[in-house]
Amino acid sequence: RMWSDILIKQPANPRARAGYGLALVRLGRYTEAEAQLRTAVGLEPGHALSQAGLGAALLGEQRFQEAAGPLERALTIQPDNVDAHHNLGLAYAALGQDALAVPHLERALETQPDDPVLLNECARILGSSTDPAVVNRPRAVQLAERAVRATSGQDVNSLNNLAAAQAGMGEFAKAVATEQMAVATARARGRQADVAELEQRVAMYRSMVREP
């Protein structure tokens, strides 16, 4: 309401456009946000917050390739913009550009060390990337464990991700135990649609456990 009131009086105010657009992003109203932030960028291309906000709106619309442009420009203007690093890492990850994604995700984690989205995405890439220069399985396990701690062991995605990281290290017995926790959590949360797939993962990891 505050930003819309300012815009009624000052429609060419780029900072107000950016503020209004970012508020819409936080509400998940990405299409409306994009319109406001494109206007803000047009009025003041050198404003990092407007560029980062436009990138966030496009990311929310799952237009990953388009999102990368304004996010890159935001970081050219303001290299320490954590939100831009966060979102650019996610955009590159969605595009399968692992080598570009990881540095931005790691940079964002320096400031947002307990963000489960960042922890899980970075762990997933480091544990499963097809790029040998990117893969770092011990680091993947470390980040996945942090995601589980950050969510108090109650997030199915974090548990599933940790099990995959453990399996990637050849720790199949641990992966079985972790995936069983994911199954129990999914059941407790009423996510019955996920249970069958998770149980298949349990069976897969169990089949890989070597008997002593």
Side-chain angles (χ1 to χ4, degrees):
R1 286 195 298 269
M2 179 188 74
W3 290 122
S4 60
D5 183 60
I6 293 172
L7 286 174
I8 290 170
K9 301 170 185 174
Q10 303 175 46
N13 184 325
R15 305 300 172 96
R17 289 276 174 196
Y20 187 35
L22 288 166
L24 291 169
V25 168
R26 287 191 287 271
L27 291 171
R29 292 161 58 180
Y30 300 118
T31 302
E32 295 172 74
E34 180 193 348
Q36 294 295 330
L37 289 156
R38 283 196 184 281
T39 300
V41 166
L43 291 166
E44 189 178 2
H47 187 217
L49 200 60
S50 298
Q51 295 281 7
L54 177 57
L58 293 167
L59 183 68
E61 294 178 273
Q62 299 188 355
R63 291 158 62 186
F64 305 116
Q65 190 68 60
E66 290 179 73
L71 290 166
E72 289 167 349
R73 288 190 287 275
L75 289 171
T76 299
I77 301 163
Q78 187 182 14
D80 61 349
N81 188 310
V82 175
D83 288 337
H85 280 293
H86 181 143
N87 289 326
L88 185 55
L90 295 179
Y92 281 143
L95 292 167
Q97 298 179 17
D98 297 343
L100 294 175
V102 169
H104 291 289
L105 295 172
E106 292 276 19
R107 179 69 179 273
L109 279 169
E110 293 174 7
T111 304
Q112 302 168 329
D114 297 321
D115 186 306
V117 173
L118 287 174
L119 290 166
N120 278 310
E121 193 62 21
C122 199
R124 182 191 66 77
I125 294 171
L126 293 173
S128 64
S129 178
T130 57
D131 185 343
V134 172
V135 172
N136 184 339
R137 292 189 175 90
R139 176 68 171 159
V141 170
Q142 179 190 57
L143 294 175
E145 288 174 339
R146 282 168 52 185
V148 169
R149 288 196 297 272
T151 55
S152 302
Q154 298 300 306
D155 177 57
V156 174
N157 184 51
S158 296
L159 289 165
N160 187 48
N161 201 35
L162 175 57
Q166 291 167 331
M169 289 288 291
E171 298 175 336
F172 298 113
K174 288 184 179 180
V176 168
T178 303
E179 202 70 74
Q180 287 174 328
M181 291 173 60
V183 171
T185 302
R187 282 204 179 101
R189 295 184 174 276
R191 292 176 54 175
Q192 295 304 317
D194 297 328
V195 170
E197 180 181 346
L198 295 169
E199 287 181 331
Q200 287 178 353
R201 289 177 178 270
V202 171
M204 178 181 66
Y205 296 144
R206 185 176 284 126
S207 71
M208 297 176 182
V209 177
R210 294 182 180 177
E211 297 297 332

